[in-house]
Amino acid sequence: MNLKQLSQHLNLSQTTVSRALNGYPEVSEATRLRVQKAAQDLNYRPNTRAKGLATGRSHAIGHVIPVSNQHEMVNPVFGDFIAGAGEVYTREGYDMVLSLVADRDETRAYQDIKSRGMVDGIIVHGPVTKDTRIALLSHIGLPFVVHGRSTDVNLPYSWVDVNNRGAFQRGTQFLIELGHRRIALLNGLEHMDFAFRRRSGYENALAAHGLPVDPDLMRSEEMTEIYGYRATKAMLAQEAAPTAIMCSSIITAIGARRAVHEAGLALARDVSIITFDDELSYLENGDDVAIFTALRSSVRSAGRQAADMLLSLISLPQSAPKTRLLEAELIIGRSTGPAPA
């Protein structure tokens, strides 16, 4: 069904129907509701190209991924974030444009996106510390929301982030309360801002209890299963092995658990593990009882909230930057217990 057919069905002009669907204030509330109900009942979908010509917008949102971050970002966590954002785009009639660009071409890519009017806004993924993309996009004037934050960037900008520092401080504190003193950290790549903040939270908890920060108990790599396995295996072979491990990803934690079992040790009795859990839709942390004690925050929900925030900025271009800090919930699972004697 097209706009003309919908208008004939309602016995209204095409202009009135179009304005009702696009939220123009001069259309009465009763007419707007009637048009929206008919559009839903008859499965009407507006032609986005025609709509773009009428409104001066592309009705598309861009997601640009630098090549250097593709292994870190194009993973199950990224997939769930995109799924959450996609729910909002579908609801609001927006398309999604994914672009993978070489780092050296990133500035030109954003400038090209802006000049060609390819998208109405951008979601920035994988912010690093001192991320130059924030200043670039602010200068270009393209609406954007950052999934995460960037340390040492003093410009005002919009972001949705989880309290990574607070989460890892709380998780490490929980292990200390269980009596653990040799606590390892399996972190993500620490030029990424989320990992930088998680390390800071871990170190803050140790310092608060007078415990030393031991480089032999700290690793930083892409968050894969094999990384978790190899790093845990190596640390368990040390003379002063850890009794507990903080993991930045449930995928890494699965590898750590494999190394614990292979060493003939029991999870929670000999070695405790806490992981960050993005509540992935297809990699659930147990059923009724969590497998891993976890710091849980839904990345799919973060995707929905970032998309909603960006569409709000697009519809009200003069509005001030928006920010939202999400807290991770500590979920007690079967992977933690008192420190062994």
Side-chain angles (χ1 to χ4, degrees), residues 15-159:
T15 300
T16 298
V17 172
S18 177
R19 288 179 178 274
L21 292 171
N22 287 287
Y24 282 79
E26 57 266 34
V27 178
S28 70
E29 181 69 7
T31 299
R32 183 180 66 82
L33 292 174
R34 179 180 165 225
V35 170
Q36 288 179 341
K37 184 178 186 307
Q40 183 177 359
D41 292 345
L42 298 172
N43 198 30
Y44 168 76
R45 294 292 182 272
N47 183 308
T48 54
R49 179 170 295 182
K51 191 175 180 181
L53 290 173
T55 63
R57 294 179 182 171
S58 66
H59 285 85
I61 301 298
H63 294 255
V64 179
I65 308 164
V67 169
S68 65
N69 290 342
Q70 64 176 302
H71 298 297
E72 188 70 20
M73 297 312 304
V74 184
N75 57 27
V77 174
F78 178 80
D80 248 36
F81 180 92
I82 288 293
E87 293 173 16
V88 176
Y89 302 152
T90 299
R91 183 190 74 209
E92 301 298 332
Y94 276 75
D95 294 324
M96 185 190 310
V97 178
L98 296 178
S99 302
L100 189 65
V101 301
D103 293 60
R104 65 180 181 276
D105 296 331
E106 197 167 359
T107 297
R108 185 174 63 188
Y110 282 120
Q111 291 171 335
D112 186 51
I113 288 170
K114 170 65 174 177
S115 63
R116 292 171 58 191
M118 295 170 58
V119 299
D120 296 327
I122 291 281
I123 298 283
V124 177
H125 294 279
V128 299
T129 56
K130 302 179 182 178
D131 201 310
T132 58
R133 293 175 294 175
I134 294 170
L136 172 64
L137 286 167
S138 298
H139 174 72
I140 290 175
L142 189 63
F144 69 96
V145 170
V146 181
H147 178 212
R149 286 174 287 171
S150 179
T151 301
D152 294 331
V153 171
N154 297 318
L155 294 171
Y157 62 94
S158 297
W159 52 263

Side-chain angles (χ1 to χ4, degrees), residues 144-325:
F144 69 96
V145 170
V146 181
H147 178 212
R149 286 174 287 171
S150 179
T151 301
D152 294 331
V153 171
N154 297 318
L155 294 171
Y157 62 94
S158 297
W159 52 263
V160 173
D161 195 15
V162 67
N163 187 354
N164 288 295
R165 182 179 287 110
F168 268 60
Q169 185 164 340
R170 178 70 189 95
T172 307
Q173 166 79 22
F174 179 73
L175 291 171
I176 294 171
E177 291 170 356
L178 289 172
H180 295 277
R181 296 297 179 266
R182 297 279 294 171
I183 303 171
L185 173 66
L186 299 187
N187 205 1
L189 295 169
E190 289 182 352
H191 71 284
M192 308 287 287
D193 196 81
F194 79 90
F196 171 81
R197 292 177 188 270
R198 290 178 183 180
R199 174 173 176 164
S200 175
Y202 160 84
E203 292 178 342
N204 287 348
L206 294 178
H209 290 81
L211 298 176
V213 175
D214 187 348
D216 289 338
L217 296 180
M218 302 171 72
R219 300 289 190 276
S220 171
E221 292 186 28
E222 289 182 10
M223 298 182 298
T224 62
E225 191 275 346
I226 194 65
Y227 155 52
Y229 168 75
R230 289 172 177 168
T232 302
K233 182 178 180 179
M235 288 192 290
L236 291 178
Q238 296 174 182
E239 184 176 349
T243 63
I245 304 171
M246 289 290 301
C247 291
S248 262
S249 165
I250 196 168
I251 300 169
T252 304
I254 291 170
R257 180 181 62 175
R258 178 160 69 100
V260 168
H261 290 165
E262 189 178 278
L265 302 173
L267 199 63
R269 186 193 69 194
D270 300 310
V271 180
S272 291
I273 294 177
I274 293 182
T275 185
F276 194 89
D277 176 15
D278 289 286
E279 206 172 5
L280 301 178
S281 55
Y282 41 83
L283 188 59
E284 294 184 3
N285 182 14
D287 192 3
D288 295 332
V289 179
I291 297 169
F292 292 104
T293 296
L295 301 154
R296 179 176 292 172
S297 180
S298 169
V299 72
R300 183 181 287 253
S301 174
R304 287 193 290 264
Q305 293 183 60
D308 273 324
M309 182 180 289
L310 181 55
L311 296 187
S312 173
L313 292 169
I314 291 168
S315 64
L316 298 169
Q318 303 305 317
S319 59
K322 304 174 184 294
T323 62
R324 187 165 301 154
L325 184 63

